[in-house]
Amino acid sequence: MLVRQRLAPPGQACRSSPAPRPAPAARRRRSMAASPARAAASPGAPLSEDDKVLLLGITGVTGRCALEGLLAGGLRPSQLVAVSRNPGGAAARAVAARGVEVVAGDLDAPASLAPHLAAARGVYVHALSGDAASADPAELVRARALAGLLAAAGGRLALVAYNSSAGRGAGAGISQMDQKHAVEDVLLGSGAPGVMLGATMFMEEFWKRYTRPGLVGRQTFTFSLPGDRPLQLVAARDVGLAAATALTSADPGAWAGRKIALAGDELTPRQMCEAFSRAQGGAPVKHSCPPAWLFWFLSRDLWRITTFLRDTGFEADVAACRRDFPGLLTFDQFLAATRWGDAGRTYEDGIAFDGALPARAEPARRCVGAAPGHRRARAAAQAPSGSSGAAPAAAAEPPQPAAAAPPAEGAAAASSSSSSSSTSAAAAAVAAAAGVAPPAPAPSGVSEQPLVSPKAEATLSAAQYREIYDRLIAIFQERPRDDWKKLIVFSKQWGQHKSGVLDRIRSLADGEADVDKKMRLRRLFRSLQGVDEEVSRYNDVLAKFLAAQQEEWEAVVAVYRGDLQKPFFQHLQCLVAAAKDDKARKEELVLINTRLLALVTAHDSVAADTEKLEAAAEVYRDLLSSISSVEDADAKMAALAEAGKIDPAFLQISARAYGAARDTNMTLDEAKWVSYRLYVRARDYFDRQQPKEKRILEYLVSMRDRGERSRQLDAAVTPGPTRYTDSHDYLFSTPARLYAVLEGTLRAYDAMNAAASARMGAGGEDNTPWKIAAMRELRDEIRRRYL
């Protein structure tokens, strides 16, 4: 008997994919909130083995790296409790696999955190927002909400450790760094004892798709920093290790109020090339330094990060960090520990510290009395080539070279960023992949120095604008029109500067004496303006879907069906092609493409039967004119469902009504709510009418873990009573019926895909969604095991 968890009872808005099968109550781990109360410990007392540490923002890639450091730093898995919005998701399961309890909670719903915080004596905050190219305003909102909870905790907490950014007071104007420092002030202002761990640049950044492919595939390290300019680095793992060191110290409260710039190593790009070479089996790695001006166009924050690293850089005291936090990794040790030489590993798959790790000495407990922060003067002389900048004891333990990595395809990055603003560099990576920036030295006559010092906060001169615009115009002239869309889509500054580029083309055309050149410039102007308008139009349509919940997409299709023609799907294919080096982004776009195709196909099929559609519209009008309350509407919808009148035509009419209401300011909120309520109820009742085989297969296909999928398949073909509750559906079927539904669905998908390719240019085997691939695997498994 398969237990299919329902995330919301009929009529509620939540329609997320089903979560994995919940464990029986007898085997469920007890939440911290359900733990028996115990006597409050003194805030300054060390943590006992029974004391809990609450982890926030830990389920991402760098968060899971920090978890490894928390465990390496002396905290036991049984002491750690991680908060996740989706405890059943793959990321949360990876955390739970380390023996850590995972509980449900949401930073946007502070009340959900209160019971877990009430049972904790320590807190580690890794992140308050997702990985983004610029500062997320929600980060500060969440920080204030968290500060309120910390203030309410009173004196129960021994220490709160926050993964922040180094560079405080540098005046770099980098939004992500500045916001991290603002969060520091908010958390410390709560009155809770807190230590702010200011990370320098994460070593994990080089695992990302804009750097690693070029290193393991072409032995080229593309990084916009002069070859002899030192760069301070720290592993995200070691931020967790530093937090654990403070939390497990004899007096955690002694760390309160400290702001520590954290670095485990300091190397120049040339020395990093030597480290990469050692990790990759000895093949020489060369350094390529793109000019800084390039990033000014791609992303203002990215340009400021680049100029900050060139002009100022971080100022952590590496030796003091390695003394106070024993076990910090050098760059060589990090590459060995993460098995950098294994070309099959990717950032998206997660970074595993399963290679050689150095032995960790006991923490120097005296560090709690050290002066706040780690600052040092920049050394005039550089370390010799290959030096890690580590303490002598650490330098005496060189890691063994990793196995040679086979060549791999991939795009190189133009630059990377600090830990607190890591994904700003992704904008450069995508642009480089799209052809904006070849990883080559600066063109003749163009300085590699930044156009403007970020500290000066000066504006560019008219001559500098013209130089940038002329270089962009040359790129557009050299590349085919199809590439223009990629350049526009992935340029963070195009929207801000397109008017300047177009005005510059018009000015050049007006001043050109050669008739042929003048006509070419005018054609370029019209073509570029047309491509920009096309990209903007279809991005706006796509944004309508991304802004809506997935259960509302049918309503959005009903309103914007006229825009969902072949050019729109070709635009989606362009986005998919441009994301070829971003596995997660490409998969997201492929799923959007497939779902929209299915919705458009279903919409057109229902709309073709005008008689049924008119009859459904009449039923809907009668329903609207007769309801007097929400309860009355629910009762009449239940009666319609029982009479079999909630069919595809009625669902489309309700979708049209809600879609029209939601996208206008001319409709009262009450009317929008009623149309939404009727639409959601119609969907719920319609879904309940679907064959149970379809519902079982939707649940099975949602699982990426093949082993779990096979176990649930066994449960699905085990007979038992069929029943429905508000939270779970208990369903079973036979292998033959499941196989027949799968075979029919896949044939329908192939037919739809072929028709879409011919009609809309939106198909293609290379863009098969993972769920379709999972359905094919499931079909083959049923045939192999049961038939």
Side-chain angles (χ1 to χ4, degrees):
M1 171 62 62
L2 180 141
V3 182
R4 181 182 184 272
Q5 184 176 3
R6 302 186 73 253
L7 297 186
Q12 290 189 2
C14 179
R15 299 185 60 86
S16 304
S17 299
R21 180 183 182 181
R27 296 200 335 247
R28 287 178 182 158
R29 301 188 64 182
R30 187 173 59 191
S31 161
M32 286 174 56
S35 299
R38 61 176 182 269
S42 168
L47 270 63
S48 72
E49 292 184 3
D50 294 329
D51 285 327
K52 300 291 187 179
V53 176
L54 193 65
L55 311 180
L56 300 177
I58 203 74
T59 56
V61 175
T62 60
R64 297 199 300 274
C65 292
L67 173 60
E68 296 301 315
L70 289 163
L71 296 172
L75 287 167
R76 299 170 182 265
S78 60
Q79 291 179 278
L80 304 180
V81 179
V83 173
S84 172
R85 285 177 295 182
N86 181 17
R93 292 200 303 273
V95 171
R98 298 293 285 123
V100 175
E101 182 180 5
V102 179
V103 296
D106 190 342
L107 289 164
D108 292 326
S112 66
L113 303 180
H116 308 307
L117 191 61
R121 285 206 64 226
V123 180
Y124 172 67
V125 184
H126 186 76
L128 293 174
S129 65
D131 217 4
S134 58
D136 180 359
E139 186 176 21
L140 266 178
V141 175
R142 294 170 186 144
R144 294 187 184 103
L146 178 59
L149 294 173
L150 296 176
R156 293 194 307 272
L157 292 173
L159 189 65
V160 176
Y162 172 55
N163 166 40
S164 185
S165 172
R168 188 179 181 102
I174 301 167
S175 64
Q176 300 98 321
M177 287 174 59
D178 291 345
Q179 188 153 287
K180 285 276 191 182
H181 300 149
V183 170
E184 287 183 4
D185 296 338
V186 169
L187 295 182
L188 290 175
S190 71
V195 58
M196 306 294 111
L197 301 172
T200 50
M201 183 169 180
F202 278 164
M203 297 177 185
E204 286 81 356
E205 282 292 305
F206 302 107
W207 270 89
K208 291 188 176 179
R209 52 165 170 63
Y210 53 82
T211 300
R212 180 166 164 79
L215 280 160
V216 300
R218 297 185 295 275
Q219 287 76 48
T220 300
F221 177 35
T222 304
F223 193 74
S224 188
L225 195 66
D228 59 353
R229 183 74 169 90
L231 177 68
Q232 293 190 338
L233 303 162
V234 69
R237 164 198 181 268
D238 290 346
V239 179
L241 184 142
T245 300
L247 285 162
T248 60
S249 64
D251 183 7
W255 295 82
R258 295 183 61 190
K259 299 175 182 178
I260 302 172
L262 197 61
D265 209 343
E266 183 174 35
L267 297 171
T268 66
R270 292 196 184 103
Q271 292 169 338
M272 293 173 70
C273 284
E274 295 172 4
F276 285 126
S277 177
R278 288 190 290 272
Q280 293 173 196
V285 174
K286 63 181 179 180
H287 172 228
S288 175
C289 180
W293 63 263
L294 180 67
F295 306 110
W296 179 88
F297 176 74
L298 294 173
S299 163
R300 190 60 58 85
D301 268 346
L302 181 58
W303 172 67
R304 285 173 175 154
I305 290 168
T306 303
T307 51
F308 166 72
L309 293 177
R310 285 169 172 252
D311 290 354
T312 306
F314 297 109
E315 296 184 346
D317 187 333
V318 178
C321 287
R322 297 188 63 80
R323 180 194 69 229
D324 292 350
F325 304 108
L328 295 188
L329 299 177
T330 66
F331 193 53
D332 271 306
Q333 290 168 344
F334 169 80
L335 295 177
T338 56
R339 298 190 186 276
W340 173 272
D342 182 351
R345 293 190 172 198
T346 67
Y347 180 85
E348 290 73 19
D349 294 333
I351 298 175
F353 287 84
D354 53 1
L357 279 167
R360 180 173 182 261
E362 282 298 311
R365 299 299 182 187
R366 66 182 183 279
C367 70
V368 297
H374 289 314
R375 306 286 290 182
R376 67 168 181 78
R378 181 77 64 180
Q382 300 300 326
S385 178
S387 170
S388 66
E397 300 175 356
Q400 295 299 317
E409 293 292 323
S415 175
S416 191
S417 65
S418 72
S419 63
S420 59
S421 49
S422 60
T423 50
S424 296
V430 176
V436 173
S444 176
V446 179
S447 171
E448 283 196 359
Q449 295 303 313
L451 295 171
V452 183
S453 168
K455 289 185 176 180
E457 290 294 327
T459 58
L460 296 174
S461 67
Q464 289 169 323
Y465 274 113
R466 285 196 299 272
E467 178 186 3
I468 291 172
Y469 292 160
D470 287 347
R471 291 186 178 278
L472 291 171
I473 292 167
I475 290 173
F476 285 120
Q477 288 175 320
E478 293 167 0
R479 296 190 175 275
R481 183 186 172 108
D482 286 346
D483 281 357
W484 296 0
K485 294 180 181 179
K486 298 176 186 177
L487 296 170
I488 290 173
V489 165
F490 292 103
S491 169
K492 301 298 183 183
Q493 298 294 325
W494 174 254
Q496 182 179 350
H497 298 292
K498 65 181 179 182
S499 297
V501 174
L502 292 171
D503 287 346
R504 179 61 176 163
I505 296 175
R506 186 189 293 114
S507 174
L508 290 172
D510 291 344
E512 180 58 61
D514 187 295
V515 176
D516 288 340
K517 291 181 179 179
K518 180 188 291 286
M519 294 305 297
R520 283 198 294 271
L521 285 168
R522 287 180 175 174
R523 285 195 295 270
L524 174 66
F525 176 87
R526 290 193 297 271
S527 297
L528 185 56
Q529 189 176 48
V531 169
D532 172 67
E533 290 174 352
E534 181 182 344
V535 168
S536 297
R537 177 186 172 191
Y538 292 125
N539 279 342
D540 288 345
V541 174
L542 182 59
K544 298 288 185 183
F545 290 94
L546 296 179
Q549 299 181 43
Q550 285 210 5
E551 69 266 17
E552 298 178 299
W553 280 23
E554 286 169 313
V556 182
V557 167
V559 175
Y560 293 96
R561 175 62 186 93
D563 292 306
L564 302 177
Q565 304 293 341
K566 184 174 182 177
F568 172 79
F569 286 99
Q570 287 176 334
H571 175 68
L572 266 182
Q573 291 300 300
C574 175
L575 293 177
V576 171
K580 62 185 175 66
D581 295 319
D582 185 343
K583 180 180 177 182
R585 173 67 172 162
K586 179 178 178 181
E587 186 172 278
E588 177 191 22
L589 290 168
V590 168
L591 285 172
I592 290 172
N593 181 75
T594 303
R595 188 156 193 266
L596 287 180
L597 276 174
L599 290 173
V600 166
T601 303
H603 179 279
D604 291 351
S605 176
V606 174
D609 193 335
T610 55
E611 289 186 6
K612 283 189 176 181
L613 213 56
E614 289 173 2
E618 185 65 28
V619 172
Y620 190 84
R621 283 193 293 269
D622 290 344
L623 176 66
L624 280 180
S625 63
S626 65
I627 59 177
S628 58
S629 65
V630 172
E631 292 75 14
D632 189 30
D634 288 346
K636 284 184 167 59
M637 286 293 290
L640 287 175
E642 189 171 351
K645 292 186 178 181
I646 297 184
D647 57 8
F650 184 88
L651 187 60
Q652 184 169 128
I653 290 297
S654 62
R656 287 183 182 181
Y658 171 57
R662 73 185 289 277
D663 283 346
T664 179
N665 294 324
M666 304 299 291
T667 306
L668 295 176
D669 288 342
E670 292 82 356
K672 291 182 181 180
W673 165 246
V674 170
S675 63
Y676 174 71
R677 179 83 174 186
L678 294 178
Y679 168 62
V680 172
R681 293 294 269 178
R683 277 185 56 98
D684 285 327
Y685 284 120
F686 184 77
D687 286 347
R688 279 292 181 94
Q689 296 170 13
Q690 302 305 302
K692 63 181 179 181
E693 287 78 16
K694 178 177 180 291
R695 305 179 71 206
I696 290 172
L697 291 171
E698 285 177 349
Y699 180 62
L700 293 174
V701 169
S702 70
M703 298 176 181
R704 291 186 183 246
D705 187 319
R706 291 183 175 89
E708 179 63 17
R709 188 193 303 158
S710 293
R711 288 189 289 274
Q712 294 296 332
L713 175 59
D714 286 337
V717 297
T718 301
T722 298
R723 60 190 180 92
Y724 303 98
T725 69
D726 284 347
S727 58
H728 296 80
D729 294 340
Y730 297 82
L731 310 170
F732 81 96
S733 186
T734 65
R737 289 178 180 173
L738 293 175
Y739 181 84
V741 173
L742 274 171
E743 185 69 15
T745 302
L746 289 170
R747 286 179 180 174
Y749 169 78
D750 290 339
M752 181 197 73
N753 203 39
S757 294
R759 186 160 60 99
M760 295 184 177
E765 264 312 301
D766 291 341
N767 295 328
T768 300
W770 70 266
K771 284 193 174 182
I772 296 297
M775 290 175 69
R776 290 172 178 163
E777 291 178 3
L778 190 58
R779 176 196 60 186
D780 295 342
E781 183 177 359
I782 292 174
R783 182 170 55 199
R784 184 179 67 254
R785 294 177 58 194
Y786 302 105
L787 303 180

